[in-house]
Amino acid sequence: MTDAPAGQARALWYASRGRAVLRARPLSPRQNDEVRVETLWSGLSRGTERLVFTGRVPASEYARMRAPRQEGAFPFPVKYGYAAVGIVREGPHELVGRTVFALNPHETVFDAPADFVQPVPDHVPARRAVLAANMETALNALWDGGAGPGDRIVVVGAGVVGALVAALASRLPGAEVTLVDVDLSRRAVAERLGCRFSKPLDAPGNADLVFHTSATSAGLSCALACAGDEATIVEMSWYGEASTRVSLGAAFHSGRLKLVSSQVGRVSESRRGRWSYARRLAKALALLDDDRLDALITEEVAFDDLPEALPRLFAPGAPGLATAIRYSSGE
């Protein structure tokens, strides 16, 4: 890797539809309430960032889609991302040398308020910690769905978020969890996470709770078909500007099914009075203390190679799950 000159940082920018570039910028003096973080790893979101890369963020969602540390404005150019893990090099004594997670874009070095970064637990490897934002989404969804011990739970869509939902649900005492996907290679992931696996045509019915994460109309129809009487279907998919067709006939009304949305931008209503964003993120990081979750990171890409790799990583039907972006040695 060719490092930036001292006093500079480099960042990934989505420059135009289907094109990303690396840009250098000088580092400003660090403020007293900030930390300076040298990035080790960041995580690429194949769902949200694919929409950004392809210019498919709806204009109505520009404000809500802003990442916490985003620069630029939709549609382009924009510096976007929200899963950075690095080492604090400067800042308060108690944080210097600590590995931290931040909802920060892909860049080599960044300054942020000290209370914006969250220390990574000692037993969680920095590489695995890039899943923290996805784990937050999964945790919030379980709260939204009201999952409980003994429930028969189906997760339709075995991407990273779906797999994390299934992993958390499988820890509930007595829960029967099935992960559903058209990609039969995801069976190995489900088995490692302690779940059953099914292709859509064989998906179990009469579920107490169903989560949908595939961002397809067919997947949502499958999720509805899996639900038992008066069950809840939690819709987690983000479709961007795409329209969604789904049949609400069949047993939707007679079975009194409940279709609810779940989105990580707000803490679940059932927890909002007691849980701050910081508390939820800290818990998500703690929940990553599970070696089985390494199976969800299926590729590493060097930061320098990221602009050229993005068209392949964001291609429809691209194989694999999470991509970890490696900076310098990755430590």
Side-chain angles (χ1 to χ4, degrees):
M1 170 177 176
T2 304
D3 293 325
Q8 285 197 336
R10 291 186 303 149
L12 179 83
W13 283 76
Y14 293 105
S16 59
R17 188 184 299 269
R19 188 174 74 93
V21 297
L22 299 180
R23 294 180 178 174
R25 63 173 176 84
L27 288 171
S28 302
R30 180 181 62 83
Q31 301 300 308
N32 289 336
D33 63 343
E34 292 182 330
V35 291
R36 176 155 294 174
V37 179
E38 178 186 350
T39 309
L40 300 175
W41 301 91
S42 63
L44 189 70
S45 168
R46 289 198 180 186
T48 305
E49 287 190 69
R50 177 187 282 123
L51 295 177
V52 175
F53 181 68
T54 56
R56 291 172 51 212
V57 178
S60 63
E61 300 303 304
Y62 282 178
R64 280 186 287 267
M65 273 282 291
R66 284 193 65 88
R69 303 276 296 169
Q70 175 180 321
E71 292 184 30
F74 295 123
F76 303 103
V78 63
K79 183 172 78 173
Y80 196 86
Y82 48 81
V85 180
I87 294 181
V88 176
R89 297 303 188 190
E90 300 177 22
H93 179 265
E94 64 273 14
L95 286 176
V96 171
R98 291 293 305 271
T99 300
V100 296
F101 175 89
L103 298 166
N104 199 81
H106 311 287
E107 56 186 334
T108 56
V109 181
F110 62 90
D111 294 341
D115 60 3
F116 184 78
V117 303
Q118 186 70 239
V120 175
D122 292 340
H123 296 296
V124 176
R127 180 176 179 270
R128 193 189 307 153
V130 301
L131 297 173
N134 298 127
M135 180 61 89
E136 257 198 302
T137 301
L139 176 60
N140 212 57
L142 258 71
W143 288 341
D144 283 334
D151 277 345
R152 185 179 293 133
I153 298 171
V154 175
V155 183
V156 178
V160 175
V161 172
L164 287 171
V165 170
L168 289 182
S170 69
R171 300 183 194 182
L172 293 168
E176 302 172 21
V177 182
T178 303
L179 193 54
V180 177
D181 203 275
V182 296
D183 184 349
L184 300 186
S185 69
R186 303 290 165 87
R187 182 185 300 275
V189 174
E191 291 174 349
R192 179 158 185 182
L193 297 177
C195 310
R196 301 170 183 174
F197 178 84
S198 174
K199 57 187 179 181
L201 288 177
D202 299 329
N206 203 30
D208 301 300
L209 179 61
V210 185
F211 296 90
H212 177 234
T213 70
S214 79
T216 66
S217 297
L220 181 53
S221 294
C222 177
L224 289 165
C226 290
D229 283 352
E230 300 191 344
T232 296
I233 302 95
V234 180
E235 175 57 275
M236 301 177 63
S237 301
W238 170 231
Y239 297 89
E241 63 184 9
S243 60
T244 307
R245 293 188 62 186
V246 62
S247 173
L248 295 181
F252 182 75
H253 288 286
S254 62
R256 298 179 58 84
L257 302 184
K258 182 186 297 183
L259 179 61
V260 303
S261 65
S262 180
Q263 204 272 344
V264 74
R266 296 183 186 178
V267 175
S268 176
E269 185 179 8
S270 65
R271 301 296 192 279
R272 201 174 301 160
R274 300 171 303 282
W275 284 73
S276 64
Y277 290 109
R279 182 185 176 192
R280 187 182 64 181
L281 178 56
K283 180 55 67 176
L285 282 161
L287 289 169
L288 292 174
D289 187 8
D290 184 343
D291 293 345
R292 300 175 304 168
L293 300 181
D294 288 330
L296 303 186
I297 300 176
T298 53
E299 184 170 359
E300 290 181 14
V301 173
F303 175 71
D304 278 358
D305 299 333
L306 189 55
E308 291 73 27
L310 286 177
R312 172 179 61 83
L313 295 171
F314 287 147
L321 290 168
T323 299
I325 301 161
R326 184 180 65 254
Y327 298 72
S328 188
S329 66
E331 294 194 14

